Amino acid sequence: MRNIITFFALFSMSSYGATSPEIQKYLANVLKANDAVHSVFIKNDEQGFKMVWDGFEKALSQTRPDELKELITESKSASSKLMTATSLDEKRKLYGDVVKPIVLLLQKYGPIESYKVFTCPMVKKDWIQDIKVVSQVQNPYDPKMLKCGMIRE
């Protein structure tokens, strides 16, 4: 009886919440590229935006597992809208739509390294931040509210 219980316990651990190495690698690359975008918003670096955004879009466009296709396509569509914005402030407003599908992927397939989902109750948007790199809240949506937000559980 003990062997049967052990077998079912091991089976359930391997069946639920197990994320393939391909998904882990893809999401880790997207999240690292997103770190650079997040940093540009925090530094208010309009000049550096295009370069890091190109890197982010390149990470999104790499070969991805089929399970991720729908949400990554949604993120890429929002990314196209963001690129039509002319100012960094306009891009900030659209950034949440780009990140939202990636937040869902991180919640479904994570944890991935030390990335956490943060939320701002004022703008009602989420973002992803590597807490090993920066442990303090750094809200990318409004430079006046840099410290507004918390880790979303």
Side-chain angles (χ1 to χ4, degrees):
M1 183 66 163
R2 183 184 222 182
N3 290 341
I4 293 172
I5 292 171
T6 302
F7 171 77
F8 282 113
L10 289 172
F11 176 77
S12 66
M13 287 190 308
S14 66
S15 298
Y16 298 101
T19 301
S20 74
E22 294 83 15
I23 290 175
Q24 290 275 322
K25 183 179 178 187
Y26 177 85
L27 289 177
N29 288 335
V30 168
L31 292 170
K32 285 180 177 122
N34 180 66
D35 279 348
V37 174
H38 181 262
S39 180
V40 165
F41 283 131
I42 298 307
K43 294 175 183 172
N44 225 13
D45 180 10
E46 195 153 0
Q47 301 301 318
F49 184 83
K50 175 81 170 110
M51 184 179 71
V52 298
W53 195 259
D54 287 347
F56 178 72
E57 286 189 319
K58 184 178 178 182
L60 282 178
S61 296
Q62 63 190 335
T63 304
R64 66 188 169 278
D66 288 339
E67 303 95 318
L68 309 182
K69 183 179 181 181
E70 183 179 334
L71 287 170
I72 293 301
T73 300
E74 186 180 322
S75 185
K76 288 173 77 173
S77 175
S79 174
S80 296
K81 291 177 188 171
L82 182 144
M83 285 311 294
T84 64
T86 56
S87 73
L88 195 60
D89 285 337
E90 290 174 31
K91 287 174 173 59
R92 283 180 205 279
K93 290 176 186 172
L94 297 168
Y95 178 61
D97 295 333
V98 175
V99 172
K100 186 177 182 179
I102 299 167
V103 165
L104 295 173
L105 290 172
L106 181 59
Q107 290 171 330
K108 182 173 182 176
Y109 296 107
I112 309 253
E113 298 174 16
S114 54
Y115 290 96
K116 297 290 182 189
V117 175
F118 285 74
T119 190
C120 175
M122 302 296 284
V123 296
K124 296 179 178 30
K125 292 184 180 180
D126 297 331
W127 72 93
I128 300 168
Q129 188 175 314
D130 185 344
I131 60 170
K132 270 190 182 174
V133 174
V134 179
S135 60
Q136 304 173 46
V137 171
Q138 288 193 329
N139 184 336
Y141 296 110
D142 188 336
K144 296 176 205 128
M145 299 187 335
L146 188 61
K147 303 289 182 209
C148 182
M150 64 198 105
I151 293 178
R152 193 169 98 188
E153 300 298 326

